[in-house]
Amino acid sequence: MTDDQSSIANRDQSAKQPALVLQPSTRALIGVVCVMAIFFVYLSLIAVGQIEMSRPTSGVGEGLFAILFLVIIVFVVVKARQVDFTKPIMLIGPDGITGQKLPKLIPWSMIERVDIPQTRWAELLYLTVRKDADP
């Protein structure tokens, strides 16, 4: 095989590779859950009177916030169990866009426009799909 043929073969293989792969981050998830657990423990200790505040409090407000943090922790853990951390969340490639929550590949021919919100942490992609596209 000549150099021209090998470069064509490499280009064909790289054309099939996705352009962007978004992987789920277990480190970030564990960090968020740990910080929320620390707040839960701190608020719980204030609510039961183990930690004294500069002003005396009844502990009811702190107890309610502790319960709220516990509910949020449970919600985050339940949602995290639905994500397969061995697979990428989203693949953006030459054929289109696919992901864990998408039922099938969305080809570029079906997509009219892609918008990314201008926020500090853009976690959403807005896809405008043609009206005559297959749902």
PDB file of all heavy atoms in Angstrom, residues 85-112:
ATOM      1  N   PHE A  85     -22.961   5.508  32.915  1.00  0.00           N
ATOM      2  CA  PHE A  85     -21.693   6.217  32.941  1.00  0.00           C
ATOM      3  C   PHE A  85     -20.629   5.558  32.073  1.00  0.00           C
ATOM      4  O   PHE A  85     -19.540   6.083  31.938  1.00  0.00           O
ATOM      5  CB  PHE A  85     -21.192   6.363  34.375  1.00  0.00           C
ATOM      6  CG  PHE A  85     -21.951   7.403  35.150  1.00  0.00           C
ATOM      7  CD1 PHE A  85     -23.017   7.051  35.950  1.00  0.00           C
ATOM      8  CD2 PHE A  85     -21.609   8.728  35.051  1.00  0.00           C
ATOM      9  CE1 PHE A  85     -23.724   8.004  36.649  1.00  0.00           C
ATOM     10  CE2 PHE A  85     -22.302   9.698  35.746  1.00  0.00           C
ATOM     11  CZ  PHE A  85     -23.364   9.325  36.548  1.00  0.00           C
ATOM     12  N   THR A  86     -20.934   4.386  31.501  1.00  0.00           N
ATOM     13  CA  THR A  86     -19.972   3.744  30.606  1.00  0.00           C
ATOM     14  C   THR A  86     -20.131   4.224  29.170  1.00  0.00           C
ATOM     15  O   THR A  86     -19.226   4.048  28.363  1.00  0.00           O
ATOM     16  CB  THR A  86     -20.140   2.214  30.642  1.00  0.00           C
ATOM     17  OG1 THR A  86     -21.469   1.871  30.218  1.00  0.00           O
ATOM     18  CG2 THR A  86     -19.898   1.687  32.051  1.00  0.00           C
ATOM     19  N   LYS A  87     -21.267   4.834  28.862  1.00  0.00           N
ATOM     20  CA  LYS A  87     -21.530   5.328  27.512  1.00  0.00           C
ATOM     21  C   LYS A  87     -21.519   6.851  27.513  1.00  0.00           C
ATOM     22  O   LYS A  87     -21.827   7.481  28.521  1.00  0.00           O
ATOM     23  CB  LYS A  87     -22.895   4.845  27.023  1.00  0.00           C
ATOM     24  CG  LYS A  87     -23.008   3.360  26.879  1.00  0.00           C
ATOM     25  CD  LYS A  87     -24.401   2.981  26.432  1.00  0.00           C
ATOM     26  CE  LYS A  87     -24.563   1.485  26.376  1.00  0.00           C
ATOM     27  NZ  LYS A  87     -25.951   1.115  26.085  1.00  0.00           N
ATOM     28  N   PRO A  88     -21.189   7.452  26.370  1.00  0.00           N
ATOM     29  CA  PRO A  88     -21.241   8.916  26.303  1.00  0.00           C
ATOM     30  C   PRO A  88     -22.672   9.425  26.380  1.00  0.00           C
ATOM     31  O   PRO A  88     -23.607   8.750  25.953  1.00  0.00           O
ATOM     32  CB  PRO A  88     -20.606   9.246  24.954  1.00  0.00           C
ATOM     33  CG  PRO A  88     -20.539   7.978  24.201  1.00  0.00           C
ATOM     34  CD  PRO A  88     -20.672   6.855  25.160  1.00  0.00           C
ATOM     35  N   ILE A  89     -22.828  10.615  26.925  1.00  0.00           N
ATOM     36  CA  ILE A  89     -24.152  11.234  26.997  1.00  0.00           C
ATOM     37  C   ILE A  89     -24.616  11.651  25.610  1.00  0.00           C
ATOM     38  O   ILE A  89     -25.765  11.452  25.240  1.00  0.00           O
ATOM     39  CB  ILE A  89     -24.113  12.448  27.934  1.00  0.00           C
ATOM     40  CG1 ILE A  89     -23.865  12.002  29.358  1.00  0.00           C
ATOM     41  CG2 ILE A  89     -25.405  13.239  27.856  1.00  0.00           C
ATOM     42  CD1 ILE A  89     -23.731  13.136  30.337  1.00  0.00           C
ATOM     43  N   MET A  90     -23.696  12.222  24.821  1.00  0.00           N
ATOM     44  CA  MET A  90     -24.060  12.699  23.492  1.00  0.00           C
ATOM     45  C   MET A  90     -22.885  12.535  22.543  1.00  0.00           C
ATOM     46  O   MET A  90     -21.740  12.727  22.929  1.00  0.00           O
ATOM     47  CB  MET A  90     -24.466  14.172  23.555  1.00  0.00           C
ATOM     48  CG  MET A  90     -24.903  14.741  22.228  1.00  0.00           C
ATOM     49  SD  MET A  90     -25.402  16.465  22.353  1.00  0.00           S
ATOM     50  CE  MET A  90     -26.909  16.295  23.257  1.00  0.00           C
ATOM     51  N   LEU A  91     -23.207  12.158  21.309  1.00  0.00           N
ATOM     52  CA  LEU A  91     -22.218  12.066  20.238  1.00  0.00           C
ATOM     53  C   LEU A  91     -22.646  13.004  19.124  1.00  0.00           C
ATOM     54  O   LEU A  91     -23.764  12.896  18.605  1.00  0.00           O
ATOM     55  CB  LEU A  91     -22.131  10.642  19.677  1.00  0.00           C
ATOM     56  CG  LEU A  91     -21.524   9.577  20.563  1.00  0.00           C
ATOM     57  CD1 LEU A  91     -21.722   8.208  19.932  1.00  0.00           C
ATOM     58  CD2 LEU A  91     -20.054   9.831  20.757  1.00  0.00           C
ATOM     59  N   ILE A  92     -21.775  13.927  18.777  1.00  0.00           N
ATOM     60  CA  ILE A  92     -22.027  14.827  17.657  1.00  0.00           C
ATOM     61  C   ILE A  92     -21.009  14.462  16.593  1.00  0.00           C
ATOM     62  O   ILE A  92     -19.812  14.628  16.789  1.00  0.00           O
ATOM     63  CB  ILE A  92     -21.883  16.298  18.078  1.00  0.00           C
ATOM     64  CG1 ILE A  92     -22.874  16.614  19.194  1.00  0.00           C
ATOM     65  CG2 ILE A  92     -22.092  17.220  16.881  1.00  0.00           C
ATOM     66  CD1 ILE A  92     -22.729  17.985  19.782  1.00  0.00           C
ATOM     67  N   GLY A  93     -21.485  13.934  15.482  1.00  0.00           N
ATOM     68  CA  GLY A  93     -20.588  13.461  14.439  1.00  0.00           C
ATOM     69  C   GLY A  93     -21.019  13.903  13.055  1.00  0.00           C
ATOM     70  O   GLY A  93     -21.972  14.680  12.899  1.00  0.00           O
ATOM     71  N   PRO A  94     -20.357  13.390  12.041  1.00  0.00           N
ATOM     72  CA  PRO A  94     -20.679  13.796  10.669  1.00  0.00           C
ATOM     73  C   PRO A  94     -22.050  13.313  10.203  1.00  0.00           C
ATOM     74  O   PRO A  94     -22.650  13.910   9.318  1.00  0.00           O
ATOM     75  CB  PRO A  94     -19.560  13.178   9.843  1.00  0.00           C
ATOM     76  CG  PRO A  94     -18.992  12.105  10.684  1.00  0.00           C
ATOM     77  CD  PRO A  94     -19.222  12.488  12.103  1.00  0.00           C
ATOM     78  N   ASP A  95     -22.570  12.252  10.829  1.00  0.00           N
ATOM     79  CA  ASP A  95     -23.882  11.732  10.419  1.00  0.00           C
ATOM     80  C   ASP A  95     -25.035  12.453  11.104  1.00  0.00           C
ATOM     81  O   ASP A  95     -26.139  12.496  10.586  1.00  0.00           O
ATOM     82  CB  ASP A  95     -23.972  10.239  10.732  1.00  0.00           C
ATOM     83  CG  ASP A  95     -22.942   9.432   9.969  1.00  0.00           C
ATOM     84  OD1 ASP A  95     -22.544   9.867   8.867  1.00  0.00           O
ATOM     85  OD2 ASP A  95     -22.530   8.376  10.477  1.00  0.00           O
ATOM     86  N   GLY A  96     -24.774  12.997  12.315  1.00  0.00           N
ATOM     87  CA  GLY A  96     -25.826  13.670  13.053  1.00  0.00           C
ATOM     88  C   GLY A  96     -25.532  13.655  14.530  1.00  0.00           C
ATOM     89  O   GLY A  96     -24.388  13.544  14.952  1.00  0.00           O
ATOM     90  N   ILE A  97     -26.601  13.733  15.334  1.00  0.00           N
ATOM     91  CA  ILE A  97     -26.487  13.795  16.786  1.00  0.00           C
ATOM     92  C   ILE A  97     -27.236  12.615  17.381  1.00  0.00           C
ATOM     93  O   ILE A  97     -28.367  12.334  16.998  1.00  0.00           O
ATOM     94  CB  ILE A  97     -27.074  15.112  17.328  1.00  0.00           C
ATOM     95  CG1 ILE A  97     -26.298  16.302  16.773  1.00  0.00           C
ATOM     96  CG2 ILE A  97     -27.063  15.137  18.845  1.00  0.00           C
ATOM     97  CD1 ILE A  97     -26.877  17.638  17.159  1.00  0.00           C
ATOM     98  N   THR A  98     -26.590  11.935  18.319  1.00  0.00           N
ATOM     99  CA  THR A  98     -27.241  10.844  19.039  1.00  0.00           C
ATOM    100  C   THR A  98     -26.840  10.937  20.505  1.00  0.00           C
ATOM    101  O   THR A  98     -25.852  11.575  20.849  1.00  0.00           O
ATOM    102  CB  THR A  98     -26.869   9.471  18.460  1.00  0.00           C
ATOM    103  OG1 THR A  98     -27.641   8.469  19.106  1.00  0.00           O
ATOM    104  CG2 THR A  98     -25.409   9.164  18.635  1.00  0.00           C
ATOM    105  N   GLY A  99     -27.632  10.325  21.364  1.00  0.00           N
ATOM    106  CA  GLY A  99     -27.331  10.378  22.782  1.00  0.00           C
ATOM    107  C   GLY A  99     -28.109   9.340  23.553  1.00  0.00           C
ATOM    108  O   GLY A  99     -28.910   8.584  22.990  1.00  0.00           O
ATOM    109  N   GLN A 100     -27.867   9.297  24.869  1.00  0.00           N
ATOM    110  CA  GLN A 100     -28.537   8.311  25.715  1.00  0.00           C
ATOM    111  C   GLN A 100     -30.042   8.558  25.800  1.00  0.00           C
ATOM    112  O   GLN A 100     -30.819   7.623  25.841  1.00  0.00           O
ATOM    113  CB  GLN A 100     -27.961   8.349  27.133  1.00  0.00           C
ATOM    114  CG  GLN A 100     -26.627   7.696  27.268  1.00  0.00           C
ATOM    115  CD  GLN A 100     -26.199   7.623  28.723  1.00  0.00           C
ATOM    116  OE1 GLN A 100     -27.002   7.760  29.640  1.00  0.00           O
ATOM    117  NE2 GLN A 100     -24.915   7.411  28.932  1.00  0.00           N
ATOM    118  N   LYS A 101     -30.450   9.807  25.830  1.00  0.00           N
ATOM    119  CA  LYS A 101     -31.869  10.123  25.981  1.00  0.00           C
ATOM    120  C   LYS A 101     -32.609  10.229  24.648  1.00  0.00           C
ATOM    121  O   LYS A 101     -33.822  10.389  24.627  1.00  0.00           O
ATOM    122  CB  LYS A 101     -32.026  11.425  26.756  1.00  0.00           C
ATOM    123  CG  LYS A 101     -31.371  11.374  28.108  1.00  0.00           C
ATOM    124  CD  LYS A 101     -32.309  11.708  29.171  1.00  0.00           C
ATOM    125  CE  LYS A 101     -31.582  11.566  30.502  1.00  0.00           C
ATOM    126  NZ  LYS A 101     -32.433  11.750  31.599  1.00  0.00           N
ATOM    127  N   LEU A 102     -31.874  10.146  23.545  1.00  0.00           N
ATOM    128  CA  LEU A 102     -32.503  10.214  22.231  1.00  0.00           C
ATOM    129  C   LEU A 102     -32.823   8.799  21.759  1.00  0.00           C
ATOM    130  O   LEU A 102     -32.001   7.897  21.896  1.00  0.00           O
ATOM    131  CB  LEU A 102     -31.576  10.898  21.225  1.00  0.00           C
ATOM    132  CG  LEU A 102     -31.213  12.346  21.517  1.00  0.00           C
ATOM    133  CD1 LEU A 102     -30.178  12.845  20.527  1.00  0.00           C
ATOM    134  CD2 LEU A 102     -32.447  13.214  21.469  1.00  0.00           C
ATOM    135  N   PRO A 103     -34.010   8.589  21.189  1.00  0.00           N
ATOM    136  CA  PRO A 103     -34.363   7.234  20.760  1.00  0.00           C
ATOM    137  C   PRO A 103     -33.530   6.734  19.585  1.00  0.00           C
ATOM    138  O   PRO A 103     -33.290   5.539  19.466  1.00  0.00           O
ATOM    139  CB  PRO A 103     -35.843   7.345  20.387  1.00  0.00           C
ATOM    140  CG  PRO A 103     -36.082   8.799  20.163  1.00  0.00           C
ATOM    141  CD  PRO A 103     -35.082   9.542  20.972  1.00  0.00           C
ATOM    142  N   LYS A 104     -33.109   7.637  18.702  1.00  0.00           N
ATOM    143  CA  LYS A 104     -32.295   7.239  17.553  1.00  0.00           C
ATOM    144  C   LYS A 104     -31.482   8.432  17.067  1.00  0.00           C
ATOM    145  O   LYS A 104     -31.613   9.531  17.585  1.00  0.00           O
ATOM    146  CB  LYS A 104     -33.174   6.687  16.428  1.00  0.00           C
ATOM    147  CG  LYS A 104     -34.185   7.678  15.890  1.00  0.00           C
ATOM    148  CD  LYS A 104     -35.031   7.052  14.820  1.00  0.00           C
ATOM    149  CE  LYS A 104     -36.017   8.072  14.275  1.00  0.00           C
ATOM    150  NZ  LYS A 104     -36.798   7.550  13.203  1.00  0.00           N
ATOM    151  N   LEU A 105     -30.659   8.188  16.065  1.00  0.00           N
ATOM    152  CA  LEU A 105     -29.814   9.230  15.490  1.00  0.00           C
ATOM    153  C   LEU A 105     -30.665  10.309  14.830  1.00  0.00           C
ATOM    154  O   LEU A 105     -31.616   9.998  14.109  1.00  0.00           O
ATOM    155  CB  LEU A 105     -28.857   8.613  14.461  1.00  0.00           C
ATOM    156  CG  LEU A 105     -27.985   9.585  13.686  1.00  0.00           C
ATOM    157  CD1 LEU A 105     -26.805  10.004  14.540  1.00  0.00           C
ATOM    158  CD2 LEU A 105     -27.496   8.950  12.407  1.00  0.00           C
ATOM    159  N   ILE A 106     -30.329  11.567  15.076  1.00  0.00           N
ATOM    160  CA  ILE A 106     -30.971  12.681  14.384  1.00  0.00           C
ATOM    161  C   ILE A 106     -29.997  13.128  13.297  1.00  0.00           C
ATOM    162  O   ILE A 106     -28.961  13.716  13.602  1.00  0.00           O
ATOM    163  CB  ILE A 106     -31.279  13.853  15.342  1.00  0.00           C
ATOM    164  CG1 ILE A 106     -32.198  13.391  16.466  1.00  0.00           C
ATOM    165  CG2 ILE A 106     -31.891  15.010  14.577  1.00  0.00           C
ATOM    166  CD1 ILE A 106     -32.451  14.443  17.519  1.00  0.00           C
ATOM    167  N   PRO A 107     -30.287  12.848  12.037  1.00  0.00           N
ATOM    168  CA  PRO A 107     -29.348  13.230  10.972  1.00  0.00           C
ATOM    169  C   PRO A 107     -29.346  14.744  10.756  1.00  0.00           C
ATOM    170  O   PRO A 107     -30.314  15.446  11.059  1.00  0.00           O
ATOM    171  CB  PRO A 107     -29.878  12.493   9.741  1.00  0.00           C
ATOM    172  CG  PRO A 107     -31.289  12.159  10.042  1.00  0.00           C
ATOM    173  CD  PRO A 107     -31.424  12.101  11.525  1.00  0.00           C
ATOM    174  N   TRP A 108     -28.232  15.236  10.223  1.00  0.00           N
ATOM    175  CA  TRP A 108     -28.093  16.672   9.992  1.00  0.00           C
ATOM    176  C   TRP A 108     -29.128  17.189   8.993  1.00  0.00           C
ATOM    177  O   TRP A 108     -29.497  18.359   9.034  1.00  0.00           O
ATOM    178  CB  TRP A 108     -26.680  17.004   9.501  1.00  0.00           C
ATOM    179  CG  TRP A 108     -25.651  16.842  10.567  1.00  0.00           C
ATOM    180  CD1 TRP A 108     -24.646  15.932  10.599  1.00  0.00           C
ATOM    181  CD2 TRP A 108     -25.520  17.605  11.764  1.00  0.00           C
ATOM    182  NE1 TRP A 108     -23.905  16.070  11.746  1.00  0.00           N
ATOM    183  CE2 TRP A 108     -24.417  17.107  12.479  1.00  0.00           C
ATOM    184  CE3 TRP A 108     -26.224  18.658  12.318  1.00  0.00           C
ATOM    185  CZ2 TRP A 108     -24.005  17.618  13.701  1.00  0.00           C
ATOM    186  CZ3 TRP A 108     -25.820  19.174  13.541  1.00  0.00           C
ATOM    187  CH2 TRP A 108     -24.723  18.660  14.214  1.00  0.00           C
ATOM    188  N   SER A 109     -29.611  16.325   8.113  1.00  0.00           N
ATOM    189  CA  SER A 109     -30.608  16.769   7.131  1.00  0.00           C
ATOM    190  C   SER A 109     -31.934  17.146   7.797  1.00  0.00           C
ATOM    191  O   SER A 109     -32.714  17.902   7.239  1.00  0.00           O
ATOM    192  CB  SER A 109     -30.833  15.680   6.091  1.00  0.00           C
ATOM    193  OG  SER A 109     -31.300  14.494   6.715  1.00  0.00           O
ATOM    194  N   MET A 110     -32.197  16.627   8.999  1.00  0.00           N
ATOM    195  CA  MET A 110     -33.436  16.941   9.710  1.00  0.00           C
ATOM    196  C   MET A 110     -33.305  18.201  10.575  1.00  0.00           C
ATOM    197  O   MET A 110     -34.299  18.765  11.003  1.00  0.00           O
ATOM    198  CB  MET A 110     -33.837  15.779  10.622  1.00  0.00           C
ATOM    199  CG  MET A 110     -34.219  14.522   9.880  1.00  0.00           C
ATOM    200  SD  MET A 110     -34.475  13.172  11.018  1.00  0.00           S
ATOM    201  CE  MET A 110     -36.151  13.445  11.490  1.00  0.00           C
ATOM    202  N   ILE A 111     -32.081  18.632  10.839  1.00  0.00           N
ATOM    203  CA  ILE A 111     -31.845  19.748  11.756  1.00  0.00           C
ATOM    204  C   ILE A 111     -31.700  21.040  10.956  1.00  0.00           C
ATOM    205  O   ILE A 111     -30.879  21.138  10.058  1.00  0.00           O
ATOM    206  CB  ILE A 111     -30.580  19.492  12.599  1.00  0.00           C
ATOM    207  CG1 ILE A 111     -30.749  18.223  13.431  1.00  0.00           C
ATOM    208  CG2 ILE A 111     -30.278  20.688  13.483  1.00  0.00           C
ATOM    209  CD1 ILE A 111     -29.509  17.774  14.138  1.00  0.00           C
ATOM    210  N   GLU A 112     -32.542  22.029  11.290  1.00  0.00           N
ATOM    211  CA  GLU A 112     -32.452  23.332  10.641  1.00  0.00           C
ATOM    212  C   GLU A 112     -31.443  24.242  11.325  1.00  0.00           C
ATOM    213  O   GLU A 112     -30.694  24.955  10.681  1.00  0.00           O
ATOM    214  CB  GLU A 112     -33.819  24.027  10.653  1.00  0.00           C
ATOM    215  CG  GLU A 112     -34.792  23.483   9.665  1.00  0.00           C
ATOM    216  CD  GLU A 112     -36.091  24.273   9.665  1.00  0.00           C
ATOM    217  OE1 GLU A 112     -36.189  25.287  10.397  1.00  0.00           O
ATOM    218  OE2 GLU A 112     -37.003  23.875   8.951  1.00  0.00           O
TER     219      GLU A 112
END
